[in-house]
Amino acid sequence: MAFERVGVVGLGTMGAGIAEVFARAGLRVLGVEADAEALARGRSLLEKSTARALDKGRLTAQEREAILGRVTLTTSREDLREADLVVEAIPEHLELKLRLFADLDRICKPETVLATNTSSLPVTAIAAATGRPGRVVGLHFFNPAPVMRLVEVVRTVLSDPGVVGAVEGLAERLGKTAVTVGDRAGFVANRLLLPYLNHAAVLLELGVATRDGIDAVMRQGAGLPMGPFELLDLIGLDTAYEIMEVLYDETRDRRHAPSPLLRELVTAGRLGRKSQGGFYTGEPPQPQDARSSGVRTFDVAGPGADELAGRLDAAGFKRSGEAADVVLRLGDRPVVEHAVRLRDPAKLVGVRLHGDRVAELAVTALTSQEAVAAASDLMKVLGITPVPCKDRAGFVADALLLPYLNDAVRMYDAGYASVADIDTAMRLGCGYPAGPFETLEAMGLERVRDGLRALYAEYREPAFAPAPLLDQLVVAGASAFPRS
Ligand SMILES: NC(=O)c1ccc[n+]([C@@H]2O[C@H](COP(=O)([O-])OP(=O)(O)OC[C@H]3O[C@@H](n4cnc5c(N)ncnc54)[C@H](O)[C@@H]3O)[C@@H](O)[C@H]2O)c1
């Protein structure tokens, strides 16, 4: 099954990029748009994207000409008759896609493979709208398609294995890494990413920490390329909302129900970068004024206390026991039990350090504003970003990270995708520095299991209970997941 002539229907954000990817790999591309105006927009997207590549030295002028020369644009769907493969990238509405696929089935020769770039709609339903369900697959590119290396190939129970194999081969020819999975809402990357983003919105709404605090912890503490609210603004809150709805429809897991805050912002037209802002509206960052609290003395306890005391001492602060301005308690667990043992519980602030970059400051129901300000100043003096948060299990980082890792374990244990494929999907599809299993193994299976137990005990959310497989591996003393 050779793919030489390919069609792309819909030349918006994704379609124009997908057409470019095919043309770069030497395939002849027929791009189809709804009308002349949209076609002109599609052409300009292609021209701009290849011009950028030329500017950056990633393409020569000759290569660019050749790429553009391989793309023919039309508003006539009927021209797709002889295509070997057609990839659909029209808006994410099932009705629209079903109508298009029925039409493509009528137009295209019987051997043509039909693929959808849908992020969340059921590929099986789209396949069933045609008389060739065995030749219909999902081919899910990531944005921007010419840059992102992952494609998720989605096979349904109706897909012909030969077709799936041929599409995987094509992905390789395009220079992409294919991860092949079954037809479940969100596939791998969105299924793991979106619930995490939604959970961040829930924590914001619960007042566990601020928007900037949560973003700072996930960027500087967990090492992700962006904080969840920055990423939501990039993806588009409406898009995220729609995917959450589809996930929820399939799973009925309440964590997949879009957070009320997300709904409110979408209704208000705050969709992210594409509108007048989403979570961020372009306001200038708050000035970070170190030492405004006038803190002079501190005490500190917990693992690593002496080292932190040494650094604060070197910075000119005095360790002076319980009478100090603020009492720090290092660790990654809630600290209120330590607070109540002090003569003045209002002085206690929990501190979870993430390297030398960021510190979550756990604020109990008894902590005074003065103590929070003092602890923040001490961190700033050491060059560490302070992030005050409520004294809850997992604070911010673990509350967001551990359920995501647990979801990955459950996904693997359900036989949906391999450990390697899940890691690859998150690294290449979301730009994470490591996949969830790599992160889990680096953190230590037992620590993750115990952190999940603590989260479960506090929030009583069934999905936070450690996946049985994770628990078993810990009991068995394993430090890694099976990768065969
Ligand atoms: N935007 C992303 O980050 C992203 C990532 C992966 C997958 N996807 C999926 O890709 C698909 C397209 O998303 P997008 O963001 O590119 O949307 P978009 O709105 O940017 O582009 C859709 C294009 O389809 C065209 N179109 C609409 N009806 C058409 C028809 N009947 N015939 C031909 N063209 C038609 C529109 O004119 C528009 O140019 C969706 O299924 C989406 O879920 C999007």
Side-chain angles (χ1 to χ4, degrees):
M1 208 178 301
F3 298 118
E4 292 307 328
R5 285 164 305 179
V6 299
V8 178
V9 184
L11 299 173
T13 311
M14 292 308 293
I18 295 168
E20 182 182 330
V21 169
F22 284 132
R24 277 177 181 237
L27 285 88
R28 277 194 290 139
V29 186
L30 190 66
V32 183
E33 255 295 351
D35 53 47
E37 201 179 311
L39 196 68
R41 260 200 323 267
R43 175 175 290 121
S44 128
L45 284 175
L46 253 173
E47 284 173 356
K48 280 190 196 139
S49 164
T50 47
R52 263 198 311 274
L54 179 67
D55 285 347
K56 288 185 181 162
R58 296 207 185 109
L59 282 180
T60 65
Q62 223 175 3
E63 285 167 336
R64 177 172 184 250
E65 278 309 300
I67 288 169
L68 294 176
R70 281 194 280 272
V71 183
T72 309
L73 300 178
T74 176
T75 54
S76 166
R77 229 180 256 177
E78 304 290 327
D79 297 351
L80 292 168
R81 213 169 300 116
E82 294 302 319
D84 304 314
L85 166 77
V86 177
V87 181
E88 164 277 314
I90 67 170
E92 190 79 336
H93 295 297
L94 187 58
E95 282 310 310
L96 270 186
K97 297 207 195 248
L98 292 181
R99 253 186 284 140
L100 176 66
F101 273 75
D103 213 28
L104 290 174
D105 189 34
R106 176 186 60 76
I107 293 167
C108 298
K109 59 182 181 181
E111 311 84 74
T112 307
V113 172
L114 303 178
T116 172
N117 184 49
T118 182
S119 299
S120 57
L121 298 172
V123 180
T124 313
I126 294 172
T130 72
R132 62 179 87 192
R135 306 186 77 74
V136 178
V137 293
L139 188 55
H140 185 225
F141 288 84
F142 287 73
N143 187 12
V147 177
M148 301 300 282
R149 275 183 44 216
L150 181 71
V151 288
E152 289 172 321
V153 174
V154 184
R155 57 170 143 66
T156 74
V157 287
L158 305 169
S159 301
D160 174 340
V163 167
V164 174
V167 170
E168 289 167 343
L170 173 67
E172 203 173 306
R173 183 172 161 199
L174 300 175
K176 304 288 182 193
T177 302
V179 164
T180 302
V181 288
D183 187 20
R184 307 270 165 77
F187 314 132
V188 174
N190 283 335
R191 179 66 163 254
L192 293 178
L193 177 70
L194 269 295
Y196 147 73
L197 296 177
N198 198 44
H199 191 196
V202 170
L203 290 188
L204 180 62
E205 191 149 32
L206 289 174
V208 171
T210 63
R211 173 201 67 185
D212 292 355
I214 294 172
D215 272 355
V217 166
M218 298 317 284
R219 230 187 309 104
Q220 295 166 259
L224 300 183
M226 275 188 194
F229 302 114
E230 294 166 319
L231 187 53
L232 277 163
D233 274 6
L234 181 71
I235 293 174
L237 274 52
D238 51 342
T239 305
Y241 184 90
E242 290 300 327
I243 299 177
M244 293 310 307
E245 284 280 38
V246 175
L247 284 185
Y248 179 74
D249 260 0
E250 185 173 296
T251 64
R252 301 288 150 177
D253 177 341
R254 70 190 176 105
R255 289 180 315 138
H256 294 165
S259 96
L261 179 58
L262 211 50
R263 180 192 49 73
E264 189 180 356
L265 289 172
V266 170
T267 309
R270 296 249 306 257
L271 308 182
R273 287 200 196 169
K274 63 178 141 183
S275 71
Q276 302 306 308
F279 283 96
Y280 288 88
T281 49
E283 70 275 32
Q286 299 286 321
Q288 294 255 325
D289 193 12
R291 296 188 193 235
S292 57
S293 66
V295 58
R296 302 166 78 91
T297 57
F298 70 96
D299 197 13
V300 59
D306 287 343
E307 199 223 323
L308 184 66
R311 291 171 67 191
L312 288 172
D313 184 65
F317 299 95
K318 195 167 172 317
R319 188 177 190 173
S320 57
E322 268 200 42
D325 298 329
V326 60
V327 179
L328 307 175
R329 176 83 208 183
L330 289 166
D332 59 3
R333 291 293 159 87
V335 293
V336 68
E337 62 189 281
H338 300 292
V340 292
R341 285 195 218 115
L342 292 182
R343 221 174 309 127
D344 185 359
K347 287 186 177 169
L348 191 104
V349 177
V351 180
R352 180 179 178 200
L353 289 169
H354 295 269
D356 249 353
R357 302 171 300 271
V358 67
E360 294 174 277
L361 300 182
V363 179
T364 76
L366 307 170
T367 309
S368 70
Q369 282 311 312
E370 290 75 26
V372 179
S376 296
D377 279 355
L378 293 178
M379 293 302 122
K380 284 186 234 162
V381 165
L382 298 181
I384 296 170
T385 307
V387 174
C389 63
K390 286 191 180 171
D391 186 39
R392 301 284 184 271
F395 303 148
V396 172
D398 281 1
L400 288 178
L401 198 60
L402 303 192
Y404 149 72
L405 301 177
N406 207 28
D407 284 350
V409 176
R410 286 181 196 276
M411 180 183 268
Y412 160 67
D413 199 28
Y416 184 60
S418 69
V419 165
D421 278 355
I422 295 172
D423 274 349
T424 301
M426 297 316 286
R427 257 193 281 103
L428 302 186
C430 303
Y432 279 20
F437 293 96
E438 291 160 337
T439 303
L440 226 159
E441 290 161 3
M443 288 176 75
L445 272 52
E446 187 166 4
R447 174 165 133 46
V448 172
R449 193 268 318 259
D450 292 349
L452 282 162
R453 281 184 176 168
L455 279 174
Y456 176 71
E458 181 137 313
Y459 289 100
R460 302 297 162 114
E461 167 56 60
F464 293 172
L469 174 64
L470 175 60
D471 204 33
Q472 280 179 15
L473 288 173
V474 173
V475 172
S479 58
F481 278 78
R483 277 193 164 71
S484 60

